[in-house]
């Protein structure tokens, strides 16, 4: 945000300086909403949609991995219980 404001201020100063340098034209300063221009630029919209698709794909992969982890934890608990029972039976 600060970078955008600084860029807008710099642009304004450059335009004001060039207007003074010409001398014949009256001093006019215009403001550009950089954020709006960026948001409405077609490449920004395209890149955002690509990024959102990538995010969804990765979320799906994370969900699958979390399910696998949960299953492995369950299997581990079952195996530990079986091992414990086997050791107890061997002691009897």
């Amino acid at each position: 945000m600060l970078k955008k404001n600084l860029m807008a201020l710099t642009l304004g100063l450059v335009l004001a300086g060039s207007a003074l340098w010409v001398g014949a034209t009256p001093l006019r300063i215009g403001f550009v909403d950089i954020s709006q221009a960026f948001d409405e630029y077609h490449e920004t919209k395209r890149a955002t949609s690509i990024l959102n698709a990538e995010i969804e794909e990765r979320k799906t992969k994370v969900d699958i991995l979390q399910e696998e982890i949960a299953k492995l934890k369950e299997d581990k608990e079952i195996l530990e219980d079986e091992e414990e029972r086997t050791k107890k039976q061997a002691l009897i």
Side-chain angles (χ1 to χ4, degrees), residues 1 3-13 15 28-40:
M1 185 69 174
K3 188 175 180 180
K4 290 180 182 178
N5 289 340
L6 184 59
M7 195 165 45
L9 178 63
T10 303
L11 181 62
L13 290 174
L15 291 174
R28 293 176 13 160
I29 298 176
F31 293 94
V32 175
D33 185 355
I34 302 282
S35 153
Q36 180 183 359
F38 185 78
D39 290 342
E40 291 178 1

